[in-house]
Amino acid sequence: CVTNSSSSENCTSQKTVTRGVPIKIVTANFTSSVGIIRNDFYGANIGESNLNKFDDDSASDLIYKNALINAGIRYIRIPMTIQNYYSNTSNSNGVNLTSDLSSHRSLVNWARNNNIKILYVTAYMPSWLADNSSGDCNDLILCPANNYTIWNNLVLDFINNVTLNGLYNSTIEIEVWNEPDNPSFFLGKLGTNNINRATNYSIMYNNTYNIVKSIYPTMPVFGASSSSQDLNKMPNTFLS
C-alpha cells in the first residue's frame, strides 16, 4: 500500500504502483582520441609521512615503491616543509639545520635510479622567519619572509643537502610555494583577488628563482600553481 513513510496509518486497501525506469544506452568509443596526456609529466603528490618508505627495502616499502614505478609515475611532488627542519639561530646566514634530511636524500637517490623527477615545493615558512607585520596571516607558516636573504639560504641549503651538493641536481625541479592564490596556503586573511597577495608572492618568487638559478642555472624553477580554474577570482592580482 502507499502511505507517507512517517505515518503509522494502517492501509485499508492494497494498491499496486508501477514505475517505469527509463533505459539509457551509452556508447563509449575507445578508438577516437580527445587529446594526449603528456607522458613526461605524469605524477603524484606524496606527504612527509611516506618519506620513510625510501629509507630501506622492507617488503612493505618495496610494494609502495614498485607501485609508483609500475604506474608509470614520472614526477613525485612533495613540499620541502622547511619549517620542520630549520631552527632560529644567531648565525649570520640564518641556516641552522636541526632535523635529519636523510629520508629526502634517499627519496632523491631512489628517484634518480628510476628516472623519476622530484618536484619540490618551497614551503612552508618557519615561524621565526615569518613576516606578519600586516596581520594578514592566520598562521605564521603561511606568511612571507621577514628576511629573504635568510629564506634564500634555507632553500639553497635544503637543495644542497638532498642533492649531495649538486651531484643529483638534475633529478629535482622547484615549484615556488603551494597555491599562493589560496588563503589556505598563503596569507590566510586576504581574499584571492587581493593585490597584496600577488605582490608578496612575486617578491618571494623572484628571490627564490634568482638564488636557485645563481647556483643551479639548469634547474627548472616555476610557479605559481593555482588552486582554481576560475580566472574571475583573480583578475586584478595574478592575472593583472
Side-chain angles (χ1 to χ4, degrees):
C1 66
V2 181
T3 63
N4 187 306
S5 61
S6 63
S7 172
S8 60
E9 174 187 354
N10 293 323
C11 295
T12 58
S13 62
Q14 298 293 325
K15 295 181 180 179
T16 301
V17 177
T18 303
R19 292 184 179 178
V21 178
I23 297 175
K24 297 287 186 180
I25 298 176
V26 178
T27 302
N29 184 354
F30 293 102
T31 62
S32 62
S33 173
V34 295
I36 299 174
I37 297 175
R38 286 178 51 189
N39 60 8
D40 63 325
F41 200 78
Y42 173 57
N45 280 295
I46 67 171
E48 275 208 316
S49 60
N50 291 314
L51 267 177
N52 60 0
K53 296 184 184 298
F54 299 91
D55 287 332
D56 55 47
D57 287 330
S58 68
S60 60
D61 292 345
L62 280 173
I63 290 173
Y64 180 87
K65 290 183 283 191
N66 287 336
L68 293 173
I69 295 171
N70 294 335
I73 294 294
R74 305 292 357 123
Y75 273 79
I76 290 176
R77 182 178 183 266
I78 183 171
M80 291 181 174
T81 56
I82 289 175
Q83 77 279 9
N84 293 339
Y85 294 99
Y86 294 90
S87 300
N88 200 359
T89 178
S90 58
N91 295 340
S92 58
N93 67 358
V95 177
N96 182 25
L97 179 63
T98 52
S99 294
D100 188 9
L101 286 172
S102 60
S103 292
H104 280 281
R105 287 192 291 271
S106 296
L107 168 64
V108 171
N109 184 50
W110 172 85
R112 173 178 174 269
N113 292 334
N114 290 281
N115 195 30
I116 293 173
K117 297 288 187 182
I118 303 298
L119 177 55
Y120 270 116
V121 184
T122 61
Y124 291 94
M125 193 63 61
S127 60
W128 52 269
L129 189 57
D131 179 8
N132 195 25
S133 57
S134 65
D136 293 330
C137 305
N138 56 359
D139 189 330
L140 291 179
I141 70 170
L142 307 180
C143 284
N146 60 35
N147 185 320
Y148 273 103
T149 298
I150 293 178
W151 167 257
N152 294 344
N153 290 340
L154 298 185
V155 171
L156 196 57
D157 186 76
F158 184 99
I159 294 173
N160 291 340
N161 265 282
V162 302
T163 64
L164 299 182
N165 290 317
L167 183 62
Y168 300 154
N169 73 85
S170 62
T171 300
I172 76 169
E173 299 182 7
I174 302 299
E175 177 184 339
V176 181
W177 209 259
N178 177 50
E179 299 181 4
D181 63 308
N182 188 341
S184 296
F185 297 110
F186 191 55
L187 293 169
K189 293 184 179 180
L190 294 181
T192 298
N193 196 34
N194 187 298
I195 190 61
N196 290 334
R197 172 183 298 283
T199 299
N200 275 285
Y201 178 74
S202 296
I203 294 170
M204 174 186 286
Y205 180 90
N206 290 336
N207 273 276
T208 307
Y209 179 94
N210 289 335
I211 192 62
V212 174
K213 287 293 189 178
S214 70
I215 305 300
Y216 300 108
T218 62
M219 184 175 291
V221 181
F222 50 87
S225 61
S226 171
S227 63
S228 173
Q229 295 181 359
D230 184 0
L231 302 184
N232 292 323
K233 289 185 176 181
M234 42 188 172
N236 302 317
T237 54
F238 292 92
L239 301 179
S240 62

